[in-house]
Amino acid sequence: MNYRVKQLLIGFFSALVVTILGSEFYLRVFTHFDFFLDLDFIIKSKMLGKIIAIGSIFNLLLFSIFINRKLDNYANGCILAVIILTFVTLVM
C-alpha cells in the first residue's frame, strides 16, 4: 500500500475515533445518556445524527494539529471523515 494512502487512512480513522470520543464527552457532560449503553434509545429517538454532528466538532482540533505539524495527508483523511460523517448525519 502506498505511504500516502496509509497516512490518509490513519487520519480518517483518527477522525472517526475523535468523533466517537467527542460524542461520548458531550453525552456524559451535558445529558444523562451514555453513548454505548443508550445507543438503541438514541437511534430510536432519531438523535444519533445530531450527536454525531456535535461530536465531530472535536475534529477541528485534530485537523488544526495535523495542519500545524504539516501532516497534510493526515489532515486530508480528517476532512474525508468529516465529509462521510456529514452524509451519515444527513441520512439519519
Side-chain angles (χ1 to χ4, degrees):
M1 190 182 294
N2 190 1
Y3 187 68
R4 181 177 180 212
V5 174
K6 285 182 183 178
Q7 289 179 336
L8 188 79
L9 288 175
I10 290 172
F12 176 77
F13 286 118
S14 63
L16 289 180
V17 168
V18 167
T19 301
I20 291 171
L21 291 176
S23 299
E24 180 70 26
F25 175 76
Y26 169 74
L27 288 173
R28 295 261 178 162
V29 172
F30 296 110
T31 67
H32 62 279
F33 295 122
D34 183 61
F35 187 71
F36 297 106
L37 297 177
D38 298 326
L39 186 61
D40 188 43
F41 174 74
I42 291 170
I43 291 172
K44 286 180 182 175
S45 63
K46 300 190 183 219
M47 293 189 314
L48 185 62
K50 296 171 187 167
I51 292 170
I52 290 173
I54 292 171
S56 65
I57 291 173
F58 288 96
N59 283 335
L60 292 172
L61 178 65
L62 182 67
F63 179 76
S64 65
I65 289 171
F66 287 155
I67 290 295
N68 287 335
R69 293 186 180 177
K70 297 190 180 11
L71 300 170
D72 295 336
N73 292 329
Y74 292 103
N76 288 338
C78 186
I79 290 172
L80 179 65
V82 169
I83 290 169
I84 291 173
L85 287 170
T86 302
F87 285 123
V88 169
T89 304
L90 284 172
V91 171
M92 299 194 168

